[in-house]
Amino acid sequence: MKRILVKFDQADQIINFVRIMNRFECDADVKCGSRMVDAKSIVGVLSLAKSKTVELILHTDDCDQLMEEIAPFAA
């Protein structure tokens, strides 16, 4: 399991992030406080992450390619 902080300033960044997440097989969640949503759900991530720093939880250790692609969103 890996955890990283991500931040989105605009809704189109969230849309791009979710598109990237959906290309990979691993399960992932986005957490803010006590709320957690599926990182592959555009509605969930939009409702939780707009203009906030949130925690991305990847339920795998084999995600080097994914980490490279989401690097622009790292907080």
Side-chain angles (χ1 to χ4, degrees):
M1 183 183 312
K2 289 191 179 191
R3 296 171 182 257
I4 62 167
L5 296 177
V6 294
K7 180 167 175 55
F8 309 103
D9 296 318
Q10 300 174 352
D12 63 327
Q13 291 176 321
I14 294 173
I15 293 167
N16 290 336
F17 172 82
V18 172
R19 283 185 183 147
I20 291 168
M21 295 303 301
N22 277 295
R23 292 196 344 247
F24 291 87
E25 292 292 321
C26 67
D27 288 328
D29 295 305
V30 173
K31 181 179 179 187
C32 183
S34 63
R35 295 182 56 207
M36 189 178 304
V37 297
D38 185 350
K40 296 181 179 185
S41 166
I42 203 158
V43 173
V45 179
L46 275 169
S47 70
L48 191 63
K50 181 89 163 87
S51 299
K52 294 181 187 171
T53 299
V54 295
E55 183 178 25
L56 173 65
I57 303 168
L58 299 169
H59 301 280
T60 183
D61 289 323
D62 184 28
C63 57
D64 293 334
Q65 179 65 34
L66 173 59
M67 295 296 286
E68 286 180 27
E69 292 200 36
I70 62 171
F73 306 108

